[in-house]
Amino acid sequence: MATVEHRVVVPLRRREEQRGAERFEMELPLAVGSDRAGITRDLSVSGLSFTAREPYTVGEEIDLTVEYLLDGHNFPLRCLATVVRCDPCAGGYTVGARLNTAFLE
């Protein structure tokens, strides 16, 4: 009779990591409302970060539209998000946001 070796799979994350989902690095243009813009740094099913020229207030709810280009077609992905951090960086700010709704379009 063959023996079965049991394994325990442990996710390899740093202890200080607070994100609930894996993030993917992507640089995509985005619009915030009708008058502000930015570029995504990374995104996941639960949040994203982006760079912007102007600061955002932690706790602020924002209406985001990410411009996703696939096979020559533009797919605007819209969602509502809450700003969870805003840090100065070269040329502007790095903004972290938690998605409140799934991408709608």
Side-chain angles (χ1 to χ4, degrees):
M1 183 169 156
T3 60
V4 177
E5 183 180 322
H6 295 281
R7 294 185 192 185
V8 176
V9 178
V10 179
L12 298 175
R13 290 191 200 163
R14 293 179 297 193
R15 292 184 147 223
E16 66 272 9
E17 182 65 61
Q18 295 181 8
R19 296 178 180 137
E22 185 177 359
R23 291 205 175 202
F24 299 92
E25 290 184 18
M26 292 186 179
E27 289 186 353
L28 302 170
L30 66 82
V32 180
S34 61
D35 62 344
R36 299 199 275 184
I39 301 289
T40 64
R41 294 183 60 206
D42 57 52
L43 44 102
S44 75
V45 297
S46 62
L48 75 153
S49 68
F50 62 95
T51 55
R53 291 199 171 145
E54 59 280 314
Y56 288 78
T57 304
V58 172
E60 177 181 359
E61 187 171 80
I62 53 178
D63 184 353
L64 295 171
T65 303
V66 176
E67 300 295 332
Y68 184 71
L69 185 66
L70 179 65
D71 293 332
H73 300 285
N74 188 23
F75 295 94
L77 304 171
R78 187 170 166 249
C79 68
L80 296 176
T82 300
V83 175
V84 295
R85 68 179 175 80
C86 183
D87 301 316
C89 69
Y93 298 86
T94 299
V95 182
R98 180 183 64 248
L99 302 183
N100 298 337
T101 61
F103 288 113
L104 305 172
E105 298 172 24

